[in-house]
Amino acid sequence: MTRKQKSKVLVYLVLALCSIVVAYPFVFMLLNSFKTGQDIINSPYGLPHVWTVQGYVKVIQELNLGVMFKNSIIIALSVTGLNVGLNAMVAYAMSKLEFPGRGLLFSVIVGSMMVPVVLLMIPTYSMYYNWGWINNFIVVILPAGLSAYNIFLVRQFMITIPNELLEASRLDGSGEFRTFWSIVLPLSMPVLSTVAILAFMGSWNDLINPLLYLEDRSKFTLQLGIYSIRTEIPGQNVDQLWAGLAITTVPVAIVFFFLQRYFVRAFTGIGLK
Amino acid sequence: MTPLKKRQTVTGYLFSLPWIAYFLVFMLYPLILAFKISFQKVSVTQPHKAEFVGFGNWVKVAADPVFWKSVFNVIYNQSIFISLLFVISLGLALLLKEVTKGGAIFRTLYFLPVITSVTVAIAVFIVLLGVNGPVQQLLVSIGILDKPTDWMITKWWAMPIVAIFNSWKWFAIQMIIFLGGLMTINPEIYEAAEIDGAGWWQRFWNVTIPQLKPQIVFVSTMNIINGMQMFTESLMFFGSSGGPYKAGMTPVLYLYKTGFNDMDMGYASSIGLFLMLIIVVLTTVQWKIMNRNETKA
């Protein structure tokens, strides 16, 4: 073997080793989710002695994980829809419409990115409490429906759409809303897919907001369910815990494998400049 | 005003309306409310019994050892996290750049932790890193550790372990950003350096690092802003108390515990505003440094 070939083998070896470190927790989780409770406690690190889906059945029947799954889907999809629609609207105003005060408004949007909303959880809690929003899905949907960061992303993209296209549409007699709907929105699909992925993942994986505002078990999201299984009954129902972890992770992972190009672009911001 | 201009003004405000409403209701109003609450002694369950205490809460935060411990903890955590993440992600980006076949498979696999929820990942890691877990057993068997320890209740290990966990969770994002940066470096610069007799290390230090500067500045800004707000990791690993030595306490967790476990909303609001002040100062300083670097370059 030449020196070059040797170094290539070494490169693959390191990459493969890192793959094991990355993948092992997932394999471990999946294997445990197919074990009996006894098996998990006695030999957590081996293969299942008996393969069983008991954990899945129990977690869905007894802990209502199916309801939590449904809740998570409803919330995450609503947040995604609001984010795509509303951020696109505001970004359109910020990039393609001329009106007095636009500059000021845009500085407020950019400046607000510095305010960590999570630090306002005390006043927002008492607000939502007074409005009767506690235990209502609206509390985890509406405040997450817009984001300064996403407006900024979409605006940067919309700026690159040639004005001639919009003017042609306006000359054809289309109103601003029609121009937005039939010209700007379709052209902005790449950046809107990024917004959709970031919004969906943010909502699906959110723990702090459901933890604060959703107290009723029938309103729990998957993340909150996992958190409460872990804290309420330590040591017990381990089979349900592992099945629950798998149910929370696998659907997102499957979507990721199909749309990985979009996911990678969404999280790294590459291809947006 | 021409009709077109008038129409644009009307639609402009109409299209901006969602943001204006969002900003007023979910940011400005809570911010004002936070200021008001921070001068009161008030409980979550009895908001009508608010009592004005002046600057009492603010003075208490400034002198609160737990608050400063929590600030220290996130800085301690971020120093380890940022260095570790830098080495791992740049190292893997350099390796992936050399690979022509199979690179996409590795990239996809490395991205799995990013899309997994922190809650789920920590539930798995608590078992894997535990006293009887395989990681500690491996470290003992190769002689790095003497005996397995319950690191969650130690004085100094909490934050380094969280940093290791977060490196596992997030390295792929930074790796892809670095990989993108590496791809844009002109190979002629490397060739020129090689002709000048520069070794691998010299080329890395004098070509790769300076050329990656925009990416490095970008990721470090992101890391600092996110790091100051760490919450879920600490809550999942150590519970709302932050562990016996407060070794896992973070400012946001402290805010959560004060407001919702101890029911002291006035004090919790002061913690939030105090922390916001720290973040604004840090971000401003960082922007200053970034701009100075830009004018230099």
Side-chain angles (χ1 to χ4, degrees):
Chain A
M1 251 198 296
T2 64
R3 199 166 152 251
K4 197 146 199 168
Q5 278 173 317
K6 263 187 199 158
S7 73
K8 200 126 236 184
V9 169
L10 200 67
V11 167
Y12 276 106
L13 217 62
V14 175
L15 289 175
L17 205 69
C18 289
S19 306
I20 295 174
V21 175
V22 166
Y24 178 68
F26 295 101
V27 176
F28 176 68
M29 174 181 81
L30 287 176
L31 286 179
N32 271 348
S33 75
F34 289 110
K35 288 179 188 171
T36 60
Q38 267 308 311
D39 206 4
I40 295 172
I41 292 167
N42 294 336
S43 67
Y45 310 110
L47 286 172
H49 286 108
V50 193
W51 292 78
T52 170
V53 289
Q54 207 52 49
Y56 287 92
V57 174
K58 266 161 69 184
V59 81
I60 289 168
Q61 281 177 351
E62 290 170 25
L63 284 168
N64 264 333
L65 208 75
V67 174
M68 295 175 193
F69 193 89
K70 196 189 79 195
N71 293 346
S72 279
I73 290 272
I74 293 173
I75 293 168
L77 285 182
S78 312
V79 169
T80 309
L82 282 180
N83 263 284
V84 171
L86 297 180
N87 290 322
M89 272 173 71
V90 181
Y92 178 57
M94 290 300 127
S95 57
K96 292 294 176 198
L97 297 172
E98 298 284 348
F99 58 96
R102 188 180 89 168
L104 177 74
L105 211 53
F106 188 62
S107 342
V108 174
I109 294 175
V110 173
S112 78
M113 282 196 259
M114 265 171 67
V115 181
V117 180
V118 65
L119 297 182
L120 295 175
M121 61 189 172
I122 298 296
T124 44
Y125 186 91
S126 60
M127 267 166 52
Y128 302 152
Y129 186 84
N130 289 332
W131 297 345
W133 279 16
I134 305 297
N135 267 328
N136 192 327
F137 282 167
I138 196 169
V139 78
V140 282
I141 293 173
L142 213 52
L146 263 165
S147 124
Y149 177 74
N150 285 341
I151 294 174
F152 185 74
L153 275 188
V154 182
R155 173 196 178 260
Q156 296 306 90
F157 185 91
M158 283 183 177
I159 282 179
T160 64
I161 296 175
N163 281 328
E164 290 75 28
L165 281 175
L166 308 187
E167 271 149 31
S169 158
R170 282 171 193 147
L171 281 180
D172 282 349
S174 306
E176 288 300 331
F177 190 79
R178 209 190 152 78
T179 309
F180 169 70
W181 185 257
S182 56
I183 306 231
V184 177
L185 269 193
L187 286 174
S188 305
M189 275 310 159
V191 72
L192 292 179
S193 72
T194 290
V195 168
I197 286 170
L198 289 179
F200 187 90
M201 296 300 295
S203 173
W204 183 267
N205 289 339
D206 184 24
L207 175 68
I208 187 164
N209 289 305
L211 178 67
L212 284 175
Y213 308 124
L214 302 177
E215 290 156 359
D216 193 353
R217 262 207 109 82
S218 67
K219 298 286 166 65
F220 273 20
T221 62
L222 275 178
Q223 307 301 333
L224 192 50
I226 298 295
Y227 174 76
S228 70
I229 299 175
R230 265 188 43 78
T231 46
E232 281 164 18
I233 27 178
Q236 271 179 21
N237 303 326
V238 276
D239 48 343
Q240 304 184 26
L241 171 66
W242 287 100
L245 295 177
I247 291 178
T248 312
T249 311
V250 171
V252 180
I254 290 172
V255 176
F256 164 67
F257 279 118
F258 281 110
L259 302 174
Q260 43 169 306
R261 205 158 48 89
Y262 298 94
F263 271 79
V264 171
R265 198 175 60 194
F267 279 99
T268 56
I270 279 172
L272 289 168
K273 279 173 224 155
Chain B
M1 240 190 217
T2 64
L4 176 71
K5 253 199 169 155
K6 203 170 159 194
R7 207 176 67 186
Q8 281 215 5
T9 305
V10 173
T11 17
Y13 287 122
L14 218 59
F15 274 60
S16 310
L17 208 58
W19 166 260
I20 296 170
Y22 171 86
F23 177 74
L24 293 179
V25 176
F26 296 121
M27 291 186 95
L28 196 61
Y29 178 59
L31 203 59
I32 295 167
L33 214 56
F35 264 105
K36 191 184 137 207
I37 298 174
S38 77
F39 294 108
Q40 293 175 332
K41 185 165 181 56
V42 52
S43 138
V44 180
T45 44
Q46 294 165 304
H48 50 279
K49 280 194 189 163
E51 189 189 316
F52 183 77
V53 292
F55 280 96
N57 289 323
W58 287 80
V59 174
K60 215 169 117 196
V61 180
D64 186 345
V66 181
F67 175 74
W68 289 111
K69 170 83 183 163
S70 72
V71 172
F72 166 79
N73 280 342
V74 283
I75 295 171
Y76 177 35
N77 173 268
Q78 285 299 295
S79 331
I80 301 171
F81 173 64
I82 291 176
S83 339
L84 201 60
L85 195 65
F86 183 77
V87 173
I88 297 173
S89 52
L90 185 55
L92 284 173
L94 286 168
L95 292 182
L96 276 176
K97 197 189 158 217
E98 300 303 317
V99 158
T100 39
K101 271 189 205 139
I105 299 171
F106 288 118
R107 260 178 308 178
T108 306
L109 202 65
Y110 293 168
F111 229 79
L112 262 184
V114 174
I115 57 138
T116 310
S117 80
V118 176
T119 324
V120 168
I122 289 181
V124 178
F125 265 71
I126 286 176
V127 180
L128 287 181
L129 299 176
V131 182
N132 303 314
V135 174
Q136 294 213 42
Q137 273 171 13
L138 182 76
L139 291 178
V140 169
S141 69
I142 57 174
I144 293 176
L145 275 182
D146 287 340
K147 58 176 186 1
T149 36
D150 194 352
W151 56 270
M152 274 194 260
I153 54 169
T154 59
K155 217 166 175 175
W156 295 108
W157 276 106
M159 284 297 141
I161 303 277
V162 173
I164 292 172
F165 165 76
N166 271 332
S167 305
W168 174 86
K169 177 102 178 51
W170 300 112
F171 79 93
I173 293 183
Q174 204 160 311
M175 178 192 79
I176 302 273
I177 292 174
F178 283 152
L179 188 60
L182 288 176
M183 294 298 191
T184 60
I185 300 177
N186 190 343
E188 283 170 18
I189 306 178
Y190 284 111
E191 281 159 25
E194 219 167 347
I195 291 166
D196 287 345
W200 186 89
W201 180 250
Q202 277 173 313
R203 270 177 283 151
F204 173 75
W205 200 244
N206 297 323
V207 180
T208 311
I209 294 287
Q211 292 281 323
L212 279 181
K213 203 161 193 181
Q215 281 80 14
I216 294 171
V217 171
F218 174 70
V219 295
S220 55
T221 316
M222 275 196 342
N223 286 337
I224 287 178
I225 293 177
N226 289 335
M228 291 301 287
Q229 299 183 59
M230 188 163 90
F231 170 78
T232 313
E233 292 91 336
S234 274
L235 180 70
M236 287 293 291
F237 272 126
F238 314 107
S240 58
S241 71
Y245 298 98
K246 304 269 178 258
M249 185 58 94
T250 69
V252 178
L253 184 64
Y254 192 41
L255 163 73
Y256 171 81
K257 178 185 171 288
T258 310
F260 298 101
N261 287 8
D262 309 344
M263 300 283 177
D264 190 349
M265 293 184 96
Y267 192 44
S269 257
S270 311
I271 295 173
L273 292 171
F274 216 96
L275 185 62
M276 198 136 69
L277 221 64
I278 295 178
I279 292 179
V280 170
V281 170
L282 275 182
T283 325
T284 319
V285 169
Q286 207 178 13
W287 277 1
K288 283 261 158 69
I289 295 171
M290 265 168 66
N291 286 337
R292 205 187 58 199
N293 284 346
E294 258 166 36
T295 44
K296 254 194 212 160

